[in-house]
Amino acid sequence: MIYAGSSLKVNLLQDGIAEVVFDAQGSVNKFDRQTVAELDQAASALKNHTEVKGVLVRSAKSTFIVGADITEFTELFDMAEAEVLSWVASTSQVFDHFEDLPFPTIAAINGFALGGGCEMTLACDLRVADTTASIGLPEVKLGLMPGFGGTVRLPRLIGADNALEWMTTGRDRKAAKALAEGAVDAVVAPEKLVDAAISMLKDAIAGKFDWQARRAQKQAPLTLNKNESMMSFSTAKAMVFAQAGKHYPAPHMMVDTVANAARLERDGALKLENQGFTKLAKTDAAKAQVGIFLADQLVKSKGKKQAKASTKSIKQTAVLGAGIMGGGIAYQSAVKGTPVIMKDINQAALDLGLKEAAKILGKGMERGKVDAKTMAATLNNIVPTLEYSAIKDVDLVIEAVVENPKVKGIVLAETEQHVSDDTVICSNTSTISINQLAKSLKKPERFCGMHFFNPVHKMPLVEIIRGEKTSEDTISTVVAATLAMGKTPIVVNDCPGFLVNRVLFPYFAGFSKLVMDGADFVAVDKVMEKVFGWPMGPAYLLDVVGMDTADHASSVMADGIPERMQKIKNDPVTLLYQAQRLGQKNGKGFYNFSLDKRGKPAKAAADEAYELFAPHCAAKRDFEADEIIARVMIPMANEAIRCLEEGIVASAAEADMALLYGLGFPPFRGGVFRYIETMGLANFVTLADKYADLGPIYQITDGVREMAASGKSYFSQSA
C-alpha cells in the first residue's frame, strides 16, 4: 500500500504499476474537499516512490467519478471572491500535480465520468473507457464552467470547436462518440477494462506510446493560426448567443476563456480558467442553478423514499377519458412499459386518444428518438375500451374526464363499483378539490389527485394531491407509479388550485390588472419573456391554456379563496372568453394565430382584442420593465409563500421545482423562492409594500415580514 485515504487508496501492482482506486464511503465517488486533499497526498506519495513506473486510475464502484460535491458549493460560493479564487486555484493545482508525475498515467473509465471526474481523466496521459461509460463536462447546467482544468486540457486534446460544443451544451458523450472525437484512446467491454488499461500502460512504459508528447500537447498553446482562431471563436460566440441568450453567462464565459487562453501554455490558461470560474460562482445565475440541482436532488430522494414505502406494485393502469390529456397519460404509461386500458364512453374519443399517442411516437420517429419496435410496443400496450368491465383487474385508475366536479364525481363512483377493493383511484384535475371529489367514494383513503401538465409527454411534473382521508400507502403507491412513468412527483396537500395553479392565477390576475391600467399585453409579454425569462409571457400563456379553461379555473379559485382571488370585473380573460376568442384552440385570443409562408405557426397581436378591452381599460401607456415584473410576480410570490406557510407544500425547494417543472419558471432565476431570496427578503417586503394598495394579492404575510426582519432564509427549512 503506497497511500490510504477514506476516499481513495494507492496500491503497487506488478511490473512497477501503481493503481489509484477511488472508493468513497458513499454510493458514488465525487470530488469533495477531502477527496481533493487525498488526491494531492496520493500524487506526492507516488512521485516519491522509487518503484513506480506508471499509474492506473480506476473506480471500485459501478461508476467512475460523478463530479464535484455540489453540496459544498453553496457555502463555498458565499465566500469573498478572493477566497473562491484561492480555493479553485489550489484545487486545480492538485490536478496539475497529478498530470506532472514523472511517468505515464492512464484512466480506466466506467459509468459516469462527469465534471471533475472527466477532468481527472484529462489529467491522465491515456484514457480507456468501457462500453458503459458516459463522459462530459456538465458544469454549464449549474451556471458554471469547468474549474479543474477542463477548459485547458479538453480543447488541446480534441480541438477547440469540439471542446466548446461539449462544454457549452453540457451534454455527455457515450464511449463510442468520445472515442470518435479523440477524448478516449480505446473502448472495451466492461470485463476487459482493467486488463486493457494495464496493457496500454505497459506499452507506454515500454515506449510504444509517446506519452510525453501527448502530455506536452495538453500543456502547450492551441495549434490554431490567427485566422483559424478568429473563425472558430466568432462562430462559437454566435452559436452560444443564439442558444443561451443573455441570461446564462456561463457558456459565454467558456468561449471567451478558451479564446483568450488559446496562445497560452497550461499555467497561464489555467489562471484564466480560475478567474472565469470565480466570476461565474458569484453570479445570481450560478446560485440559482446550483439551488435547482440541490432542490432536484431533494425532490428525487424524497420521491424514491416514498416509493420504497409502497406495498402495492402497479402492473396495469387504466385511464378514464381518452381526449388529448387522457391519450397523453396513456402514452406515458405505455411507453415506460406499464400496460394501460384507455376507457371512454364513445369510440371517437378513443380514436382521438390513440391518435394522440401515435402522433407523439411519430414525431419521435421523425427525430430519430423512437424506432419502429418502440412504437409498436407502446401502441400494443394501450388497449381501448368502451366497457367498465375491462378495468376490473387494474391496479391504478387515473380519471381524466372533463374538468367538472359533478361529472368527475359520477365517473369516480362508477369506477369504484368496477375495480377491486385495493385498486388505487386518482383524479387528474387541475383545480377541483380532492376532498370534495373524495365524497363520491366509499373508500376515500385509496383516492388522491394526480395532476398531469399539458403536454403530458413533455412536462416533467406530476402534482400528487393528498386529501384529508388519503392513506400514506396510497400516496406511496402513486409516487411509485409516477416515477415508473418517468415523471417527477411532488406531493402537496389539497386546496383550491393545489400548488401550481394556486400560484399561477394571482400572476394572471396581476397581468389582467396591468392591462386594465393601460399596459399593452404585447409589451408585458416581451418584458416577461426577454427580461424576466419566462418561455411565454402571460398573454401568450393564456392563449395556450385557453380562455375557456382559464375563465373556468379562475371561477373555481374565486369560490375557494374569495378573500384574494375574487373575479375581476371586465377581466380581459373573461372578455375574450365571452367573445369566443379562446386562444390557440380556435386561432384567436390575445393574438391571432396562423401559419406563415413556410407553414410554420405564427402569431400577431389581435386588433380585435385591443378593441374588446378599450372600453374597460385606462388609456394605453408605457410601463417600466421593473414595474411590469413587480406587478405580475409579487402576487405569484405571495401565494407561494402562503402555500408554504399553510403546509400545502413541504419546502421552498419543492415549491421551486414544481414551478420549474410545471410552469417553466426561468432556471437562471432558480424558482420563485430563490427569486425572492436573490432579491433579498427585506427588499421583497419593501417592493410588495409599494404595491400593497393594488389589492390583497399584493399584501404580504406577517410570516415573510418576520423572516425578513430576523434575516432568516426559506432554504434553511428545506433540508
Side-chain angles (χ1 to χ4, degrees), residues 140-400:
V140 71
K141 296 174 183 176
L142 297 174
L144 299 169
M145 61 190 264
F148 305 157
T151 70
V152 179
R153 296 184 178 98
L154 190 63
R156 286 153 179 78
L157 191 69
I158 66 171
D161 291 346
N162 276 339
L164 284 170
E165 208 275 327
W166 278 50
M167 294 187 292
T168 59
T169 64
R171 286 194 289 268
D172 52 324
R173 300 305 201 261
K174 295 294 182 188
K177 190 163 174 57
L179 176 65
E181 294 183 0
V184 299
D185 300 293
V187 177
V188 297
E191 65 273 13
K192 295 180 180 176
L193 179 62
V194 172
D195 288 345
I198 289 173
S199 175
M200 287 178 73
L201 188 57
K202 285 180 177 177
D203 284 346
I205 294 166
K208 293 178 185 177
F209 284 128
D210 190 350
W211 58 273
Q212 291 98 333
R214 285 166 163 270
R215 186 180 292 185
Q217 179 188 331
K218 287 188 293 168
Q219 299 180 355
L222 278 169
T223 55
L224 287 172
N225 66 39
K226 199 170 182 181
N227 284 342
E228 287 172 332
S229 184
M230 190 174 72
M231 285 285 292
S232 178
F233 296 121
S234 296
T235 303
K237 283 179 184 181
M239 286 178 67
V240 163
F241 190 80
Q243 290 175 12
K246 64 181 180 181
H247 294 304
Y248 297 89
H252 303 285
M253 181 72 80
M254 289 178 202
V255 177
D256 289 343
T257 301
V258 175
N260 294 334
R263 299 190 175 281
L264 301 176
E265 294 184 348
R266 183 188 73 181
D267 291 354
L270 278 169
K271 276 186 183 174
L272 292 184
E273 179 185 274
N274 296 159
Q275 290 163 5
F277 181 94
T278 302
K279 282 177 186 167
L280 290 173
K282 300 301 289 182
T283 61
D284 289 342
K287 185 175 267 192
Q289 287 172 267
V290 168
I292 287 171
F293 176 86
L294 296 173
D296 190 46
Q297 294 295 102
L298 171 81
V299 167
K300 281 176 179 166
S301 64
K302 196 168 182 177
K304 285 176 186 171
K305 191 175 176 184
Q306 286 172 316
K308 273 185 185 173
S310 173
T311 59
K312 183 178 178 65
S313 63
I314 305 298
K315 298 185 182 74
Q316 190 172 46
T317 301
V319 175
L320 309 182
I324 302 281
M325 201 71 176
I329 297 170
Y331 159 83
Q332 196 61 39
S333 178
V335 79
K336 292 297 181 180
T338 303
V340 58
I341 292 165
M342 186 167 62
K343 187 206 170 292
D344 207 287
I345 54 173
N346 69 72
Q347 188 61 44
L350 290 175
D351 293 343
L352 179 63
L354 286 169
K355 187 179 173 185
E356 178 66 13
K359 185 172 85 175
I360 297 166
L361 289 161
K363 285 184 178 175
M365 285 187 80
E366 284 172 23
R367 292 197 304 270
K369 300 277 175 106
V370 174
D371 57 24
K373 187 178 175 185
T374 302
M375 184 167 191
T378 303
L379 292 175
N380 284 338
N381 265 341
I382 303 173
V383 178
T385 184
L386 297 169
E387 303 298 329
Y388 266 122
S389 58
I391 71 168
K392 64 183 177 64
D393 296 322
V394 302
D395 305 296
L396 171 71
V397 176
I398 304 166
E399 167 273 305

Side-chain angles (χ1 to χ4, degrees), residues 52 71 83 151 157 173 179 190 214 240 375 402 416 441 485 561:
V52 177
T71 60
E83 290 178 279
T151 70
L157 191 69
R173 300 305 201 261
L179 176 65
R214 285 166 163 270
V240 163
M375 184 167 191
V402 64
E416 193 172 37
L441 298 170
M485 284 187 181
I561 311 176

